[in-house]
Amino acid sequence: MDIHEAIKLAEQVYPNMGVFGAAQNDVAWIFGLDFKTAENHPSEVGLPQIAVDKQDGSIHQLTPGTDAFWHYMTPDTEEVPLSSL
């Protein structure tokens, strides 16, 4: 799964939001979301951060301290500049 497919999946889950930050590792694409109408990002505290599993396309909410967070937020996670897309 490439990043463009993963972004589409993320935005389907949160249709009133868009991706404003991205990262990746061997397991997942990771996205920070914000409201499409926001002028500054991030616009609010507590905005969703999700992982899209690269193997099966499943989507996981990344809440700090949860099993999903520790599984998908690995030490090798690197930022992906959205300007390069």
Side-chain angles (χ1 to χ4, degrees):
M1 167 176 303
D2 73 13
I3 191 169
H4 300 287
E5 293 170 309
I7 288 172
K8 286 180 187 176
L9 288 172
E11 290 179 344
Q12 286 175 1
V13 173
Y14 292 96
N16 62 334
M17 297 184 136
V19 170
F20 76 92
Q24 74 161 331
N25 54 43
D26 291 339
V27 182
W29 295 103
I30 298 167
F31 302 113
L33 300 160
D34 199 352
F35 297 100
K36 291 179 181 178
T37 57
E39 294 180 20
N40 297 310
H41 302 288
S43 64
E44 297 182 23
V45 174
L47 291 166
Q49 186 174 26
I50 62 171
V52 179
D53 191 290
K54 288 183 175 180
Q55 294 299 314
D56 63 12
S58 59
I59 296 181
H60 305 271
Q61 187 76 31
L62 297 179
T63 303
T66 62
D67 289 342
F69 180 86
W70 294 117
H71 177 74
Y72 291 106
M73 293 295 285
T74 62
D76 66 331
T77 301
E78 296 180 352
E79 183 178 355
V80 175
L82 293 176
S83 60
S84 67
L85 301 179

PDB file of all heavy atoms in Angstrom, residues 17-34:
ATOM      1  N   MET A  17     -12.102  15.922   7.987  1.00  0.00           N
ATOM      2  CA  MET A  17     -10.719  16.235   8.339  1.00  0.00           C
ATOM      3  C   MET A  17      -9.787  15.865   7.192  1.00  0.00           C
ATOM      4  O   MET A  17     -10.151  15.102   6.303  1.00  0.00           O
ATOM      5  CB  MET A  17     -10.300  15.480   9.606  1.00  0.00           C
ATOM      6  CG  MET A  17     -11.091  15.869  10.826  1.00  0.00           C
ATOM      7  SD  MET A  17     -10.478  15.036  12.285  1.00  0.00           S
ATOM      8  CE  MET A  17     -10.496  16.395  13.417  1.00  0.00           C
ATOM      9  N   GLY A  18      -8.599  16.426   7.248  1.00  0.00           N
ATOM     10  CA  GLY A  18      -7.577  16.110   6.263  1.00  0.00           C
ATOM     11  C   GLY A  18      -6.267  15.806   6.960  1.00  0.00           C
ATOM     12  O   GLY A  18      -6.066  16.148   8.129  1.00  0.00           O
ATOM     13  N   VAL A  19      -5.375  15.187   6.247  1.00  0.00           N
ATOM     14  CA  VAL A  19      -4.055  14.849   6.776  1.00  0.00           C
ATOM     15  C   VAL A  19      -3.189  16.099   6.779  1.00  0.00           C
ATOM     16  O   VAL A  19      -3.085  16.787   5.763  1.00  0.00           O
ATOM     17  CB  VAL A  19      -3.414  13.732   5.919  1.00  0.00           C
ATOM     18  CG1 VAL A  19      -1.963  13.525   6.291  1.00  0.00           C
ATOM     19  CG2 VAL A  19      -4.207  12.435   6.072  1.00  0.00           C
ATOM     20  N   PHE A  20      -2.575  16.409   7.925  1.00  0.00           N
ATOM     21  CA  PHE A  20      -1.675  17.558   7.983  1.00  0.00           C
ATOM     22  C   PHE A  20      -0.266  17.159   8.402  1.00  0.00           C
ATOM     23  O   PHE A  20       0.646  17.967   8.355  1.00  0.00           O
ATOM     24  CB  PHE A  20      -2.223  18.661   8.898  1.00  0.00           C
ATOM     25  CG  PHE A  20      -2.078  18.375  10.363  1.00  0.00           C
ATOM     26  CD1 PHE A  20      -0.957  18.801  11.053  1.00  0.00           C
ATOM     27  CD2 PHE A  20      -3.054  17.681  11.049  1.00  0.00           C
ATOM     28  CE1 PHE A  20      -0.820  18.538  12.405  1.00  0.00           C
ATOM     29  CE2 PHE A  20      -2.925  17.418  12.396  1.00  0.00           C
ATOM     30  CZ  PHE A  20      -1.796  17.844  13.069  1.00  0.00           C
ATOM     31  N   GLY A  21      -0.085  15.905   8.800  1.00  0.00           N
ATOM     32  CA  GLY A  21       1.231  15.395   9.161  1.00  0.00           C
ATOM     33  C   GLY A  21       1.305  13.916   8.851  1.00  0.00           C
ATOM     34  O   GLY A  21       0.303  13.211   8.937  1.00  0.00           O
ATOM     35  N   ALA A  22       2.485  13.453   8.444  1.00  0.00           N
ATOM     36  CA  ALA A  22       2.628  12.046   8.079  1.00  0.00           C
ATOM     37  C   ALA A  22       3.978  11.503   8.529  1.00  0.00           C
ATOM     38  O   ALA A  22       4.968  12.233   8.610  1.00  0.00           O
ATOM     39  CB  ALA A  22       2.481  11.878   6.571  1.00  0.00           C
ATOM     40  N   ALA A  23       3.975  10.208   8.809  1.00  0.00           N
ATOM     41  CA  ALA A  23       5.194   9.487   9.166  1.00  0.00           C
ATOM     42  C   ALA A  23       5.018   8.048   8.690  1.00  0.00           C
ATOM     43  O   ALA A  23       3.906   7.634   8.322  1.00  0.00           O
ATOM     44  CB  ALA A  23       5.428   9.531  10.668  1.00  0.00           C
ATOM     45  N   GLN A  24       6.099   7.296   8.697  1.00  0.00           N
ATOM     46  CA  GLN A  24       6.007   5.905   8.315  1.00  0.00           C
ATOM     47  C   GLN A  24       7.083   5.082   9.007  1.00  0.00           C
ATOM     48  O   GLN A  24       8.087   5.606   9.473  1.00  0.00           O
ATOM     49  CB  GLN A  24       6.121   5.728   6.804  1.00  0.00           C
ATOM     50  CG  GLN A  24       7.523   5.924   6.276  1.00  0.00           C
ATOM     51  CD  GLN A  24       7.711   5.310   4.908  1.00  0.00           C
ATOM     52  OE1 GLN A  24       7.070   4.339   4.544  1.00  0.00           O
ATOM     53  NE2 GLN A  24       8.605   5.894   4.146  1.00  0.00           N
ATOM     54  N   ASN A  25       6.841   3.785   9.039  1.00  0.00           N
ATOM     55  CA  ASN A  25       7.821   2.807   9.476  1.00  0.00           C
ATOM     56  C   ASN A  25       7.530   1.530   8.683  1.00  0.00           C
ATOM     57  O   ASN A  25       6.742   1.570   7.736  1.00  0.00           O
ATOM     58  CB  ASN A  25       7.777   2.606  10.996  1.00  0.00           C
ATOM     59  CG  ASN A  25       6.395   2.259  11.495  1.00  0.00           C
ATOM     60  OD1 ASN A  25       5.685   1.454  10.907  1.00  0.00           O
ATOM     61  ND2 ASN A  25       5.990   2.883  12.598  1.00  0.00           N
ATOM     62  N   ASP A  26       8.138   0.425   9.039  1.00  0.00           N
ATOM     63  CA  ASP A  26       7.931  -0.811   8.293  1.00  0.00           C
ATOM     64  C   ASP A  26       6.516  -1.360   8.424  1.00  0.00           C
ATOM     65  O   ASP A  26       6.069  -2.123   7.577  1.00  0.00           O
ATOM     66  CB  ASP A  26       8.917  -1.890   8.757  1.00  0.00           C
ATOM     67  CG  ASP A  26      10.345  -1.574   8.362  1.00  0.00           C
ATOM     68  OD1 ASP A  26      10.547  -0.768   7.428  1.00  0.00           O
ATOM     69  OD2 ASP A  26      11.273  -2.131   8.988  1.00  0.00           O
ATOM     70  N   VAL A  27       5.801  -0.958   9.463  1.00  0.00           N
ATOM     71  CA  VAL A  27       4.499  -1.532   9.775  1.00  0.00           C
ATOM     72  C   VAL A  27       3.335  -0.686   9.271  1.00  0.00           C
ATOM     73  O   VAL A  27       2.315  -1.224   8.850  1.00  0.00           O
ATOM     74  CB  VAL A  27       4.370  -1.732  11.309  1.00  0.00           C
ATOM     75  CG1 VAL A  27       3.050  -2.363  11.668  1.00  0.00           C
ATOM     76  CG2 VAL A  27       5.521  -2.559  11.837  1.00  0.00           C
ATOM     77  N   ALA A  28       3.475   0.647   9.293  1.00  0.00           N
ATOM     78  CA  ALA A  28       2.305   1.494   9.039  1.00  0.00           C
ATOM     79  C   ALA A  28       2.661   2.867   8.502  1.00  0.00           C
ATOM     80  O   ALA A  28       3.785   3.345   8.641  1.00  0.00           O
ATOM     81  CB  ALA A  28       1.514   1.670  10.335  1.00  0.00           C
ATOM     82  N   TRP A  29       1.634   3.475   7.905  1.00  0.00           N
ATOM     83  CA  TRP A  29       1.625   4.905   7.621  1.00  0.00           C
ATOM     84  C   TRP A  29       0.934   5.545   8.810  1.00  0.00           C
ATOM     85  O   TRP A  29      -0.084   5.041   9.282  1.00  0.00           O
ATOM     86  CB  TRP A  29       0.840   5.204   6.348  1.00  0.00           C
ATOM     87  CG  TRP A  29       1.459   4.624   5.127  1.00  0.00           C
ATOM     88  CD1 TRP A  29       1.059   3.501   4.463  1.00  0.00           C
ATOM     89  CD2 TRP A  29       2.583   5.115   4.419  1.00  0.00           C
ATOM     90  NE1 TRP A  29       1.879   3.275   3.386  1.00  0.00           N
ATOM     91  CE2 TRP A  29       2.829   4.248   3.339  1.00  0.00           C
ATOM     92  CE3 TRP A  29       3.432   6.216   4.598  1.00  0.00           C
ATOM     93  CZ2 TRP A  29       3.860   4.448   2.443  1.00  0.00           C
ATOM     94  CZ3 TRP A  29       4.463   6.410   3.706  1.00  0.00           C
ATOM     95  CH2 TRP A  29       4.662   5.531   2.629  1.00  0.00           C
ATOM     96  N   ILE A  30       1.444   6.647   9.298  1.00  0.00           N
ATOM     97  CA  ILE A  30       0.886   7.311  10.475  1.00  0.00           C
ATOM     98  C   ILE A  30       0.533   8.739  10.088  1.00  0.00           C
ATOM     99  O   ILE A  30       1.343   9.449   9.480  1.00  0.00           O
ATOM    100  CB  ILE A  30       1.891   7.278  11.638  1.00  0.00           C
ATOM    101  CG1 ILE A  30       2.159   5.812  12.004  1.00  0.00           C
ATOM    102  CG2 ILE A  30       1.379   8.088  12.822  1.00  0.00           C
ATOM    103  CD1 ILE A  30       3.326   5.601  12.901  1.00  0.00           C
ATOM    104  N   PHE A  31      -0.688   9.145  10.435  1.00  0.00           N
ATOM    105  CA  PHE A  31      -1.177  10.459  10.030  1.00  0.00           C
ATOM    106  C   PHE A  31      -1.730  11.240  11.205  1.00  0.00           C
ATOM    107  O   PHE A  31      -2.428  10.695  12.051  1.00  0.00           O
ATOM    108  CB  PHE A  31      -2.282  10.319   8.981  1.00  0.00           C
ATOM    109  CG  PHE A  31      -1.850   9.586   7.750  1.00  0.00           C
ATOM    110  CD1 PHE A  31      -2.388   8.354   7.442  1.00  0.00           C
ATOM    111  CD2 PHE A  31      -0.887  10.115   6.909  1.00  0.00           C
ATOM    112  CE1 PHE A  31      -1.987   7.662   6.312  1.00  0.00           C
ATOM    113  CE2 PHE A  31      -0.475   9.436   5.773  1.00  0.00           C
ATOM    114  CZ  PHE A  31      -1.032   8.206   5.477  1.00  0.00           C
ATOM    115  N   GLY A  32      -1.437  12.535  11.212  1.00  0.00           N
ATOM    116  CA  GLY A  32      -2.080  13.480  12.103  1.00  0.00           C
ATOM    117  C   GLY A  32      -3.165  14.166  11.300  1.00  0.00           C
ATOM    118  O   GLY A  32      -2.937  14.584  10.164  1.00  0.00           O
ATOM    119  N   LEU A  33      -4.347  14.263  11.859  1.00  0.00           N
ATOM    120  CA  LEU A  33      -5.489  14.841  11.154  1.00  0.00           C
ATOM    121  C   LEU A  33      -5.907  16.153  11.787  1.00  0.00           C
ATOM    122  O   LEU A  33      -5.706  16.370  12.989  1.00  0.00           O
ATOM    123  CB  LEU A  33      -6.656  13.852  11.164  1.00  0.00           C
ATOM    124  CG  LEU A  33      -6.343  12.522  10.501  1.00  0.00           C
ATOM    125  CD1 LEU A  33      -7.304  11.447  10.964  1.00  0.00           C
ATOM    126  CD2 LEU A  33      -6.401  12.657   9.002  1.00  0.00           C
ATOM    127  N   ASP A  34      -6.506  17.001  10.982  1.00  0.00           N
ATOM    128  CA  ASP A  34      -7.037  18.264  11.470  1.00  0.00           C
ATOM    129  C   ASP A  34      -8.242  18.633  10.608  1.00  0.00           C
ATOM    130  O   ASP A  34      -8.428  18.090   9.516  1.00  0.00           O
ATOM    131  CB  ASP A  34      -5.982  19.364  11.403  1.00  0.00           C
ATOM    132  CG  ASP A  34      -6.291  20.561  12.302  1.00  0.00           C
ATOM    133  OD1 ASP A  34      -7.402  20.614  12.879  1.00  0.00           O
ATOM    134  OD2 ASP A  34      -5.427  21.442  12.428  1.00  0.00           O
TER     135      ASP A  34
END
